[in-house]
Amino acid sequence: MQIYVIAGFEEKASSLPEEILLYSKGDEVIRKEYPFFPKDATEHYYAFPALAIRIGKLGKEVAPRFAARYIVKIGVGLDIIAFQALQKAQKSGTPWEEAVSFQDAVGLSLEGGDFGEDFKDFYTVSFSFKDGEGKGEMTISGKLIATAVSKLSYYRKIRQGDLLLLHPSSPLTPSKNTALLLEREKDVVVIHTPTTYCLKIR
């Protein structure tokens, strides 16, 4: 299993721009019911709520019109970024790995998210801290999901069990409407009905 993120597109767009952000998150997710422990007390960790897609079979250079055949589940996830480390990597032109694919950099729930035969027009994901402070919402079109799966399959051969996280905002420019700055003892809730994911921060 490999985990990928496609970000940096317009909400409700039907296709991806020519230049997108596509990066790897490694191959681990936060285990169910486990909290996130910030490893560096001086780092600013942001959680980018995302629509999560699980790939169901092997594919390469999949055309968008066939993308639905390669999806088995859709749910929600969190793309967790070490923001200061990412800024340093961008300025120095070095790889992003330490900033985006460290241990516990992905939260995920696909329960109740079995995928049907067709994409819906739009998928809406809402997110907030559990106490209600800081919240937002994003909407991703079904057509964009199809183009994203296709784009990934041209970049890398997709395999059963792979995960793709989609969120419009760039991790280089987080805002309170697109991401949550993680704070100790503030749990993050992400919802795409009927799937809900709560990440505890400790």
Side-chain angles (χ1 to χ4, degrees):
M1 177 190 76
Q2 289 294 314
I3 307 165
Y4 303 96
V5 174
I6 290 181
F9 51 84
E10 293 291 328
E11 268 199 79
K12 300 183 181 180
S14 60
S15 61
L16 292 169
E18 287 188 14
E19 293 187 11
I20 59 166
L21 288 175
L22 195 165
Y23 50 94
S24 171
K25 299 287 291 186
D27 60 0
E28 293 184 10
V29 299
I30 298 172
R31 286 185 287 174
K32 188 176 179 181
E33 304 299 331
Y34 271 61
F36 174 70
F37 293 96
K39 302 296 187 295
D40 183 349
T42 65
E43 178 60 83
H44 293 160
Y45 293 97
Y46 277 91
F48 289 81
L51 194 68
I53 296 158
R54 185 179 292 282
I55 302 300
K57 63 179 181 178
L58 183 70
K60 185 173 177 60
E61 299 184 5
V62 176
R65 67 180 183 276
F66 300 126
R69 301 178 185 178
Y70 291 81
I71 297 173
V72 288
K73 281 184 178 289
I74 287 185
V76 289
L78 288 174
D79 175 15
I80 302 174
I81 298 289
F83 184 61
Q84 291 163 305
L86 181 58
Q87 285 183 311
K88 290 178 183 177
Q90 186 199 22
K91 287 177 182 177
S92 63
T94 54
W96 287 14
E97 276 82 354
E98 289 186 13
V100 302
S101 59
F102 50 89
Q103 186 178 359
D104 294 343
V106 177
L108 182 73
S109 177
L110 292 165
E111 293 181 15
D114 290 339
F115 185 67
E117 294 182 356
D118 299 305
F119 292 110
K120 295 189 295 186
D121 289 338
F122 295 102
Y123 295 76
T124 299
V125 176
S126 60
F127 53 93
S128 67
F129 284 121
K130 200 167 186 179
D131 59 10
E133 294 179 16
K135 57 186 176 181
E137 188 174 272
M138 64 179 187
T139 302
I140 297 175
S141 77
K143 288 182 179 178
L144 187 136
I145 296 172
T147 61
V149 171
S150 175
K151 184 79 170 181
L152 178 60
S153 75
Y154 277 78
Y155 167 72
R156 274 281 177 88
K157 185 182 291 185
I158 54 177
R159 293 175 169 82
Q160 183 177 7
D162 282 353
L163 295 164
L164 174 60
L165 305 182
L166 298 177
H167 57 80
S169 45
S170 165
L172 298 167
T173 55
S175 71
K176 64 181 181 180
N177 296 322
T178 61
L180 295 169
L181 177 60
L182 298 185
E183 302 174 43
R184 292 184 184 276
E185 307 303 325
K186 275 197 171 184
D187 301 345
V188 176
V189 179
V190 190
I191 301 170
H192 165 60
T193 306
T195 310
T196 299
Y197 177 63
C198 178
L199 176 64
K200 298 175 181 178
I201 314 298
R202 295 295 177 261

